[in-house]
Amino acid sequence: MNTATIAEPRTAAALAARRRKTEAALERVHQAIARLRREKAQVSVAAVARRADVSRTFLYDNVEARAAVAAVMTAAGERRGQMLVAQDKERETAWRERALNAEDALKAAHAEIHAQRTRIGELLGQIRDVEAEWTQEVIHRITTENTTLKQRIRQLATDNRTLDERLKAARSNLRFQDRRVADLEARLTEPGPPT
């Protein structure tokens, strides 16, 4: 009887110590979860175990700890899901806006192309009208006159160059003659025996 009475208080004390240790570990787990949520860090079993200084086995074996971590991870997953849905909506809105802008630009481009084609048609009609007024005879005559005028321009340009060269030569001769006349005048005005 003596051994049974001694063993019972020791067992009760060990169980109480174990309960206190478990409660302290649970408190650290809750604090670690709260810190991770405040920091907006990703909540995982490994992160909670590191922050709470408990083993992963404790988190998996203890029902309350497992439920707390699972609840936070589920809430984080839902928030992440909501965030992803919001981002998808933003992207979809941006793409929808781009699609509408592209559609408007496409309509404007089609309108511009139509206007340009109409203008080209009008101009081609004017060209045909002008061509219809001119017969082959008139076109041949104008082409011949054009060729004749081009030949005349080339001839006049050649004549102009020739006359330019003659003018330069005449000016050179005139300068030479002016120097000679000046030299003769200087000799005449010099006192001395006439030559």
Side-chain angles (χ1 to χ4, degrees):
M1 274 212 215
N2 199 8
T3 351
T5 53
I6 294 174
E8 199 172 296
R10 283 187 186 167
T11 307
L15 288 173
R18 187 170 180 186
R19 234 180 271 120
R20 281 193 304 274
K21 187 177 175 187
T22 303
E23 288 173 2
L26 281 172
E27 182 61 31
R28 288 194 312 267
V29 167
H30 288 298
Q31 288 174 357
I33 290 171
R35 262 185 285 146
L36 286 170
R37 289 181 79 183
R38 267 195 314 271
E39 294 169 4
K40 295 187 180 180
Q42 184 176 358
V43 179
S44 67
V45 173
V48 172
R50 269 193 309 274
R51 294 278 180 109
D53 195 28
V54 295
S55 68
R56 292 182 191 180
T57 308
F58 173 79
L59 292 177
Y60 287 119
D61 287 345
N62 188 294
V63 176
E64 189 179 337
R66 183 175 53 220
V69 171
V72 171
M73 288 174 65
T74 303
E78 288 174 2
R79 273 196 310 274
R80 192 174 305 119
Q82 290 171 352
M83 215 166 59
L84 289 174
V85 167
Q87 287 176 350
D88 285 346
K89 284 183 181 177
E90 287 177 15
R91 284 189 203 120
E92 186 178 322
T93 303
W95 280 107
R96 186 176 294 126
E97 187 69 28
R98 287 181 189 166
L100 290 174
N101 288 343
E103 205 172 279
D104 290 343
L106 187 61
K107 284 180 185 175
H110 280 299
E112 180 66 23
I113 289 169
H114 182 9
Q116 293 294 331
R117 285 182 177 164
T118 304
R119 181 71 177 134
I120 289 170
E122 291 171 359
L123 293 173
L124 286 173
Q126 290 175 4
I127 289 171
R128 285 189 196 105
D129 290 346
V130 169
E131 285 178 347
E133 292 175 4
W134 293 354
T135 63
Q136 284 293 22
E137 233 177 75
V138 172
I139 293 172
H140 181 67
R141 182 180 53 80
I142 291 173
T143 306
T144 307
E145 286 178 10
N146 191 19
T147 306
T148 306
L149 288 173
K150 284 180 183 177
Q151 289 173 352
R152 181 75 177 131
I153 288 171
R154 279 194 295 273
Q155 181 62 41
L156 289 173
T158 305
D159 291 348
N160 190 22
R161 276 194 302 275
T162 304
L163 290 174
D164 244 0
E165 290 169 4
R166 285 181 183 171
L167 180 62
K168 284 179 186 174
R171 284 180 180 160
S172 177
N173 285 340
L174 183 62
R175 278 193 298 272
F176 176 74
Q177 292 299 327
D178 281 343
R179 270 188 252 132
R180 194 161 176 203
V181 167
D183 187 38
L184 288 174
E185 284 176 353
R187 281 186 190 172
L188 286 176
T189 56
E190 283 180 9
T195 325

